[in-house]
Amino acid sequence: MSDTLPPCPECASEFAYEDGALLVCPMCGHEWSPVAGDDAPGDAVRVIKDAVGNVLADGDTVTVIKDLKVKGSAQPIKVGTKVRGIRLVDGVGDHDIDCTVPGFGPMQLKSSVVKKA
């Protein structure tokens, strides 16, 4: 165990202390395992699901499930537009799909507005 303990994941208090195998926050009473806390930020496997719960992967083809307004364009991306060869990324906000939309060009989409084709 390192000399400095991590802050509480619930209230961010810096006054956490060890109690056997667990860490305890005296401010909110939250108890957690220090091993689980170390693994959470470094998770390399991230699961991104579409609007209906299907797991997405790089290279998948997805279909847009609702009209999407595009800034700077007079026309929206229509329902049913197929987007091929997506890439999963950590985008701006909750935009987690990087793709090229036919007729619009490269952009990022939210996984909540697409479904796997």
Side-chain angles (χ1 to χ4, degrees):
M1 187 114 236
S2 63
D3 293 330
T4 59
L5 296 174
C8 175
E10 293 290 316
C11 69
S13 171
E14 298 177 0
F15 303 112
Y17 62 91
E18 292 181 78
D19 185 22
L22 296 176
L23 295 176
V24 179
C25 176
M27 303 305 263
C28 67
H30 180 66
E31 297 180 355
W32 72 99
S33 172
V35 174
D38 291 344
D39 290 343
D43 280 344
V45 177
R46 200 177 104 198
V47 177
I48 297 176
K49 296 184 179 182
D50 66 1
V52 294
N54 298 322
V55 177
L56 297 174
D58 286 344
D60 281 347
T61 299
V62 295
T63 305
V64 177
I65 61 168
K66 68 180 207 173
D67 285 346
L68 302 174
K69 294 180 183 177
V70 179
K71 284 187 179 180
S73 177
Q75 56 188 348
I77 299 173
K78 297 286 187 179
V79 172
T81 302
K82 282 197 175 187
V83 181
R84 301 177 196 279
I86 65 170
R87 288 187 325 233
L88 303 179
V89 296
D90 288 327
V92 179
D94 50 356
H95 293 77
D96 45 15
I97 297 174
D98 192 27
C99 60
T100 302
V101 179
F104 290 91
M107 65 178 58
Q108 291 185 347
L109 298 174
K110 297 179 181 180
S111 59
S112 61
V113 297
V114 299
K115 72 175 184 177
K116 196 170 186 177

